[in-house]
Amino acid sequence: QKEVEQNSGPLSVPEGAIASLNCTYSDRGSQSFFWYRQYSGKSPELIMSIYSNGDKEDGRFTAQLNKASQYVSLLIRDSQPSDSATYLCADETGFQKLVFGTGTRLLVSP
Amino acid sequence: SAVISQKPSRDICQRGTSLTIQCQVDSQVTMMFWYRQQPGQSLTLIATANQGSEATYESGFVIDKFPISRPNLTFSTLTVSNMSPEDSSIYLCSVAYRDSPRWNEQFFGPGTRLTVL
């Protein structure tokens, strides 16, 4: 059974700082990872996908994957109060099915 | 990405009754899934909705409790049967496009918030 672990937080950062969110996974053979953002009372929204070791940047977001250490991270630069949400890390188990971590709650203070 | 709608958006039901949740997509998608998110918890996959055949259920979920239909490439239903308060949860459908460059990315509907009394 694949597992994805995340620190539940909350992670508190001041506005303008870099928020760093981390996730570890159990299956060394996993290939595809996803970061979702979920505002309270809303459904998850896909932020980024990453499949290769290294960094992938999209605007203020950078996803990092290290398969040797089995961790995935998401960096949010110039954090804004509107980034305050729960961030979910997901691992694809095969046949496009996803296993989610419990999520990290991010609080960005003005 | 697709526009995904779910009906109802929320409902309050009595113990022992059943509720059918609909998921409609505005374009043809390859894969449709149903997830559950219990209060304060993360998402758990219930099943993959297969077009024209029986759904594929994950461990801990059975067809008698969560019957699923998918008559075509844009529509699926999930029924929560013989409900108990433990079924109170948010139920979400998601879709993916196998034939697109971002083929394994999933997009979620707005969810159905179910409360069972």
Side-chain angles (χ1 to χ4, degrees):
Chain A
Q1 180 86 10
K2 290 192 177 188
E3 292 184 350
V4 175
E5 301 284 341
Q6 292 183 260
N7 187 315
S8 62
L11 173 65
S12 296
V13 300
E15 184 175 356
I18 297 175
S20 177
L21 304 158
N22 300 310
C23 163
T24 60
Y25 58 94
S26 63
D27 187 347
R28 187 169 289 278
S30 290
Q31 300 289 322
S32 305
F33 303 90
F34 307 87
W35 282 100
Y36 286 83
R37 177 175 62 196
Q38 186 172 28
Y39 292 111
S40 179
K42 301 294 186 182
S43 63
E45 171 192 8
L46 180 65
I47 299 175
M48 294 194 66
S49 57
I50 187 165
Y51 313 115
S52 304
N53 272 329
D55 296 359
K56 179 181 178 183
E57 187 173 319
D58 184 359
R60 295 187 297 114
F61 299 98
T62 299
Q64 300 174 320
L65 174 58
N66 184 322
K67 292 185 178 181
S69 300
Q70 295 178 235
Y71 83 77
V72 191
S73 62
L74 180 70
L75 302 178
I76 306 175
R77 289 181 299 280
D78 189 23
S79 296
Q80 302 296 310
S82 58
D83 294 325
S84 298
T86 296
Y87 289 80
L88 300 166
C89 174
D91 175 8
E92 188 204 350
T93 68
F95 301 103
Q96 296 176 272
K97 297 189 289 186
L98 299 180
V99 171
F100 283 84
T102 53
T104 298
R105 186 174 169 216
L106 173 66
L107 297 175
V108 181
S109 55
Chain B
S1 60
V3 175
I4 308 166
S5 60
Q6 284 186 236
K7 290 182 182 180
S9 59
R10 58 178 62 226
D11 208 341
I12 300 173
C13 300
Q14 295 299 317
R15 182 194 299 259
T17 63
S18 298
L19 177 71
T20 296
I21 302 167
Q22 299 179 2
C23 178
Q24 179 76 54
V25 190
D26 70 341
S27 58
Q28 292 187 347
V29 293
T30 309
M31 306 295 287
M32 295 183 79
F33 304 90
W34 287 97
Y35 289 82
R36 179 174 74 181
Q37 187 171 31
Q38 293 179 302
Q41 304 293 315
S42 191
L43 285 79
T44 301
L45 179 63
I46 298 172
T48 303
N50 299 310
Q51 192 234 337
S53 64
E54 192 171 288
T56 305
Y57 290 85
E58 297 301 304
S59 176
F61 297 97
V62 295
I63 188 172
D64 290 347
K65 176 67 176 178
F66 298 101
I68 288 170
S69 77
R70 188 180 172 191
N72 56 51
L73 291 175
T74 63
F75 185 77
S76 178
T77 67
L78 167 75
T79 298
V80 186
S81 302
N82 188 24
M83 288 184 284
S84 67
E86 292 71 34
D87 295 319
S88 296
S89 193
I90 299 172
Y91 292 86
L92 297 134
C93 71
S94 72
V95 304
Y97 303 83
R98 181 176 289 170
D99 298 327
S100 79
R102 300 166 65 175
W103 61 276
N104 62 347
E105 293 180 346
Q106 285 187 32
F107 302 93
F108 284 85
T112 296
R113 184 180 294 270
L114 170 63
T115 302
V116 183
L117 302 178

